[in-house]
């Protein structure tokens, strides 16, 4: 089916905000009833749109007001998140609901070995089902920490994986025979929040992730900000205190030196001369009131609050979402975070609303699947 811009707009509106009555969909998109009928007819005939079954919604009796919804089962996507030592993969439908997932260790970063693991993970997720049928795979999305965008099949840099100028998208597409797109992992996570998560209904929001590093995804005026060559949202080395600790790249007192989970672990373990401590061990000590751990986590919370205030001051988002594999530390540093957020927010503004989003690694992979979905719908 060849899609016009109007068809894309209607389908995305129903996918993200539906089910919607025809009248409501036309109102949202400033279309006449006849124009809406013309745009939706091909989707209905092809089975991608359907009328919501009687009793599922609140619509009154009568065909004109029967809500339209997307049949999410009509397409299938695989999303893959690569970390330094593991691959996480999910298979989703059109609404980004996860129907299957898997993970595989990455023994090394040699591309032939990683490619083999990617191909096997896709095969595991898309093999013949035990019963019934599923739609053929529509596209694959791959996310990783580094410089990558859906419009380019090349990973330009990925420090954790040690890759530079690697045509990963082309290699995977050639191996599995379906369109494959790449994305930075934080932007992919922002995409899933924009269409299917906390960002729905917000035209502008920021996603800040905390974990091995610090990331930032931005949506402004309903558009995901990518920046030149995908280099947007680089907040990890924002200056916090030039008398502070050093990050692993030699920047003194930057956000990463305070907030990243490796930096927190190093600070607590080094001060206590306990090299065996893990990040979660340090977090447990802070929960129990250990003074050294409490101080380090309060400093991390304060630095994170300053980062969020800086992003909010510059972009003016309606909402900031905190996520990432170390976001559970918020429980012990919330007071320090809120104090710093208020202190560094511009005096003419009130602190932005912050939502803490519980994290799982398959959510990164789900974001990669949404990258593939968006690329297919908006550019396919």
């Amino acid at each position: 089916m060849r899609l016009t811009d109007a068809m894309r707009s209607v389908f995305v509106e129903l996918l993200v905000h539906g089910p919607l009555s025809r009248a409501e969909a036309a109102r949202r998109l400033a279309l006449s009833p006849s124009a809406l009928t013309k745009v939706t007819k091909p989707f209905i005939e092809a089975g991608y749109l359907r009328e919501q079954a009687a009793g599922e919604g609140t619509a009154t009796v009568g065909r004109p007001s029967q809500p339209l919804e997307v049949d999410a089962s009509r397409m299938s996507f695989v999303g893959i998140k690569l970390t330094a030592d593991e691959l996480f993969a999910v298979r989703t439908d059109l609404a980004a609901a996860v129907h299957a997932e898997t993970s595989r260790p990455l023994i090394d970063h040699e591309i032939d070995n990683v490619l083999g693991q990617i191909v096997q993970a896709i095969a595991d997720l898309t093999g013949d089902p035990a019963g019934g049928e599923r739609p053929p795979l529509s596209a694959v999305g791959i996310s990783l920490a580094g410089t990558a965008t859906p419009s380019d099949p090349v990973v330009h840099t990925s420090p954790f994986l040690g890759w530079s100028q690697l045509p990963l998208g082309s290699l995977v597409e050639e191996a599995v025979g379906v369109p494959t797109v790449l994305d930075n992992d934080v932007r992919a996570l922002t995409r899933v929040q924009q269409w299917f998560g906390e960002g729905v209904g917000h035209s502008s929001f920021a996603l800040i992730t905390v974990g091995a590093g610090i990331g930032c995804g931005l949506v402004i005026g309903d558009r995901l900000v990518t920046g030149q060559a995908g280099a947007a949202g680089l907040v990890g080395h924002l200056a916090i205190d030039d008398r502070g600790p050093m990050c692993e790249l030699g920047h003194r007192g930057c956000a990463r030196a305070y907030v990243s989970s490796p930096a927190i672990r190093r600070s607590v373990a080094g001060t206590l001369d306990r090299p065996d401590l893990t990040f979660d061990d340090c977090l447990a000590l802070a929960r129990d009131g250990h003074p050294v751990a409490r101080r380090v986590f309060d400093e991390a919370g304060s630095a994170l609050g300053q980062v969020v205030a800086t992003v909010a001051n510059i972009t003016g988002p309606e909402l900031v979402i905190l996520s990432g594999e170390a976001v559970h530390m918020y429980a012990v540093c919330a007071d320090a975070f809120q104090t710093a957020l208020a202190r560094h927010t511009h005096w003419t503004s009130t602190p932005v609303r912050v939502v803490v989003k519980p994290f799982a690694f398959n959510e990164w992979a789900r974001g990669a699947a949404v990258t593939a979905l968006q690329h297919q719908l908006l550019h396919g």
Side-chain angles (χ1 to χ4, degrees), residues 143-219:
S143 74
L144 69 169
T147 308
T149 62
S151 61
D152 189 342
V154 175
V155 177
H156 291 279
T157 59
S158 183
F160 290 126
L161 291 162
W163 292 343
S164 177
Q165 307 305 319
L166 178 71
L168 180 65
S170 301
L171 293 172
V172 173
E173 186 165 323
E174 182 179 344
V176 300
V178 298
T180 301
V181 294
L182 309 177
D183 209 356
N184 169 268
D185 53 359
V186 177
R187 274 199 303 277
L189 194 59
T190 306
R191 293 179 193 277
V192 73
Q193 292 303 309
Q194 181 185 18
W195 276 23
F196 304 107
E198 297 287 346
V200 173
H202 297 281
S203 63
S204 298
F205 71 91
L207 171 76
I208 306 289
T209 59
V210 291
I214 308 171
C216 176
L218 294 170
V219 171

Side-chain angles (χ1 to χ4, degrees), residues 239-281:
I240 301 298
D241 185 344
D242 59 11
R243 299 163 299 177
M246 197 90 74
C247 81
E248 69 273 26
L249 295 179
H251 302 130
R252 183 169 295 283
C254 68
R256 188 183 181 105
Y258 283 101
V259 182
S260 71
S261 52
I264 291 172
R265 192 207 70 79
R266 283 195 304 270
S267 183
V268 176
T271 303
L272 298 179
D273 195 22
R274 294 275 307 277
D276 58 304
L277 291 176
T278 65
F279 173 79
D280 283 334
D281 291 336

Side-chain angles (χ1 to χ4, degrees), residues 101-374:
E101 59 185 275
T102 188
S103 62
R104 309 175 72 86
L106 296 182
I107 306 303
D108 58 46
H109 301 153
E110 290 296 324
I111 184 53
D112 288 345
N113 296 335
V114 176
L115 181 62
Q117 295 287 55
I118 291 172
V119 170
Q120 187 57 56
I122 294 171
D124 290 347
L125 293 173
T126 59
D128 292 335
E133 297 182 358
R134 69 169 66 110
L137 182 62
S138 300
V140 173
I142 301 174
S143 74
L144 69 169
T147 308
T149 62
S151 61
D152 189 342
V154 175
V155 177
H156 291 279
T157 59
S158 183
F160 290 126
L161 291 162
W163 292 343
S164 177
Q165 307 305 319
L166 178 71
L168 180 65
S170 301
L171 293 172
V172 173
E173 186 165 323
E174 182 179 344
V176 300
V178 298
T180 301
V181 294
L182 309 177
D183 209 356
N184 169 268
D185 53 359
V186 177
R187 274 199 303 277
L189 194 59
T190 306
R191 293 179 193 277
V192 73
Q193 292 303 309
Q194 181 185 18
W195 276 23
F196 304 107
E198 297 287 346
V200 173
H202 297 281
S203 63
S204 298
F205 71 91
L207 171 76
I208 306 289
T209 59
V210 291
I214 308 171
C216 176
L218 294 170
V219 171
I220 299 177
D222 291 317
R223 297 179 68 88
L224 183 74
V225 177
T226 57
Q228 184 179 3
L234 303 178
V235 300
H237 298 289
L238 282 177
I240 301 298
D241 185 344
D242 59 11
R243 299 163 299 177
M246 197 90 74
C247 81
E248 69 273 26
L249 295 179
H251 302 130
R252 183 169 295 283
C254 68
R256 188 183 181 105
Y258 283 101
V259 182
S260 71
S261 52
I264 291 172
R265 192 207 70 79
R266 283 195 304 270
S267 183
V268 176
T271 303
L272 298 179
D273 195 22
R274 294 275 307 277
D276 58 304
L277 291 176
T278 65
F279 173 79
D280 283 334
D281 291 336
C282 298
L283 186 58
L285 287 174
R287 284 199 191 100
D288 291 340
H290 191 287
V292 169
R294 283 293 324 183
R295 173 184 58 78
V296 171
F297 276 94
D298 282 346
E299 289 176 349
S302 181
L304 183 59
Q306 185 172 337
V307 169
V308 170
T310 300
V311 171
N313 289 340
I314 294 170
T315 65
E318 301 164 19
L319 174 74
V320 171
I321 304 164
L322 291 182
S323 191
E325 64 268 30
V327 74
H328 54 302
M329 77 178 188
Y330 182 84
V332 301
C333 63
D335 289 345
F337 172 89
Q338 291 293 343
T339 298
L341 176 62
R343 184 170 68 247
H344 292 282
T345 294
H346 191 271
W347 64 273
T348 61
S349 304
T350 55
V352 66
R353 185 166 74 91
V354 176
V355 172
V356 178
K357 175 75 174 178
F359 178 80
F361 266 107
N362 66 359
E363 192 71 0
W364 291 107
R366 185 169 170 248
V370 172
T371 295
L373 183 161
Q374 289 185 346

